[in-house]
Amino acid sequence: MSHIILGTKLLDFVSRRYDIPIPHETWSSLLNWTYISASKPFKPIRNIHTGNLSTASSAADVRHIWDVMTSEPYNITPTFSDLDIYIKTLINQRSFGQALNAIRAHAIPHYNSLLKTFHIALADEILQLDALSSLSKANASSLTSRATFRRRQAQLLKDHTHHLISSWFTRLLKSASSTKAREGSFMRTRIPDLLLEFPDFFHPQLRYRTAQGHVVLQRPDTDVTHRFDWDNSTWRVALPQKKSGIYARDFEGADDPEFPWPRVNNMRVLEWKRVPRRRSEVARRPPGEAAREAKAKEWWDTLEEELML
């Protein structure tokens, strides 16, 4: 278990010795398994089971596998899932510059291509619905089902990619705020520059920490697309917890496993959670020439909002 480096060397040796190509799926599985093994929830348990720290995985092993798979003689083209693992590893290692370079070089071009595919699929669906304007809505929808499927598929891939890129910047702000990076120029100049360079991937409200204290930026509504709303109308009950030992050590039978340990009173908490804004599934068929101006404007406004999400 967790002999990542040894497994990588063995894989490389067999491939070179017997001239066997290593498929991308193998590299992706190895990269993913190394990332999981090196993560905090799994690393202590794996050290206990192996009993040998030399087999413990680290973030350096993830970067090593990435360098091997993307360089000669393999030159594997990583998927976006592989890129997600690599960038999160760089952020965890506080290699913010390399993480930003990877985002600029790989993630943003990939997202732009998905965005273009979504726009083409959406335009194709609208044009087909417009061409079938003489038919009923049900019949037109059945005839354009393939176009609708392509649009929804492109929409899902685009939204998923946008969510991951946005999570990277959130993780970067959190990581930089908890390290010595907050004392340098990174938090004073680089963060505002990133907000100008990637405004679409930052949330409406930003929170991070500098050497002088906490910074909260509330972006104007005209400069940001709201992809979620805050719901603060839900009350929940905190999970039951047992009191510490000082409250029960003097009770008779406190060392008995079946002892009814005193518990903390349940507490009601006002929960804040993000609720994603659902895309409108209104009729995408353009209004006819006889439609009123107000209805046509409403259709265009709805389409514009859909394109901004």
Side-chain angles (χ1 to χ4, degrees), residues 233-239 266-272:
S233 60
T234 304
W235 288 89
R236 65 178 178 87
V237 179
L239 295 176
N266 292 337
M267 181 173 56
R268 295 179 71 241
V269 180
L270 181 61
E271 183 179 25
W272 284 70

Side-chain angles (χ1 to χ4, degrees), residues 128-161:
Q128 290 191 30
L129 288 172
D130 186 43
L132 301 174
S133 58
S134 60
L135 301 179
S136 63
K137 181 179 178 181
N139 292 336
S141 298
S142 63
L143 293 175
T144 59
S145 58
R146 296 182 62 182
T148 301
F149 174 78
R150 288 195 299 270
R151 187 262 305 169
R152 288 178 176 175
Q153 186 181 47
Q155 172 183 303
L156 178 62
L157 292 175
K158 179 187 74 70
D159 290 347
H160 174 67
T161 303

